[in-house]
Amino acid sequence: MNTRGDYAHPEPVAAATVAVVTPPPVVDLPRDSAVSWGAILAGAIAAAALSLILVILGVGLGLSSVSPWSFEGVTAETFGWSSIAWLTFTAIAASGLGGYLAGRLRTKWSNLHGDETYFRDTAHGFVSWAVATLLTAALLTSAIGGILGAGAKVAGATAGAAVSTAGGIAAAGAGSAAMGSDEGDVQYWVDSLFRANPTAAQPAPPAGPAGPADATALAPAPVANGAPPPPRPMPGAEPRPDSREVRTEVNRIIVNSLKSDTMDPADTQYLGQLVAAQTGMSQAEAQARVTDVQTRLRAALDNAKQQAKQAADDARKATAYAALWLFITLLIGAFIASLSATWGGRRRDL
């Protein structure tokens, strides 16, 4: 039976041992940069260089295929479509190369989701295309801008030679009149006013008996080289010599009449009097000639204006089409660069 004394001296209990675990220090690993500028610049420089080479080759092929001579060289439509096709090929080749290098040369990213890697590769290709586009624009402006400008000037001069020749009549004539010049490009029309009338009949010599002495004087002159001698003008039938002052005044009147739709009736009558006095025509015939010359001159100027407007409209359409196709070509280049970068990135991560 247990008593109270049995619990007076309990046995000692061993102390519990506690182990303290100290964690190792956390060291942050260096994070990979999301943008590899070295790879982007390498791809951009390669794309710009290839673009420059292909554009220069295209300029050489294009200029060798056109010619200012008739029935030689390709047509304007063929030349335009060929240029568009070559620019598209240049954009695809250069952008593909630049994008692939930007994706293949970038650093290898670790512990990234597949979608994030795909996005970064796409961004590398797009940025590489953007830098290459700016570099190519600078190179084209500075390096081969003279070549392209010379080719454009040659093509423009060939296409607009007729328009410039016809359209310069009114402008140069008006400029000459404004500067007080005695001569102008309307002198052709002034000369046509004072031409001799080919239908004017020469008065016949009076008929009378001819003696033996007069027979020799009235005999026709010998024919030289099969051509008859020129007829002698009858006394009093020679036209009055046209003075320089008269032609200068007529020039000013014609140029001033071009500022309005029709010539002033008083000017028409006055020109008719001058033409009649200089050519020996009647007043009615001279005034009819003035009206005819004025009509033909205005028709020539209207034709020149229409040709100039047509040339300007053709240039506007060509510029608009070129800008639209260049925009499409740039979009194609951006897409190809981004797609090629994803392909190069996958090859880098293998």
Side-chain angles (χ1 to χ4, degrees), residues 53 66 100 113 141 145 161 165 220 228 240 249 259 272 285:
I53 294 173
V66 298
Y100 180 80
H113 192 271
T141 303
T165 303
R240 295 177 57 187
E249 183 182 8
K259 300 178 182 179
E285 293 177 345

Side-chain angles (χ1 to χ4, degrees), residues 58 74 101 108 148 162 175 179 193-194 215 239 261 269 278 309 323 337 345:
V74 298
L101 292 179
K108 187 175 182 179
L148 297 179
M179 293 183 297
L193 286 176
F194 294 101
D261 295 335
Q269 183 178 4
Q278 296 293 326
K309 290 180 180 179

Side-chain angles (χ1 to χ4, degrees), residues 68-80:
W69 306 106
S70 302
F71 306 106
E72 292 186 9
V74 298
T75 61
E77 183 177 2
T78 303
F79 179 79

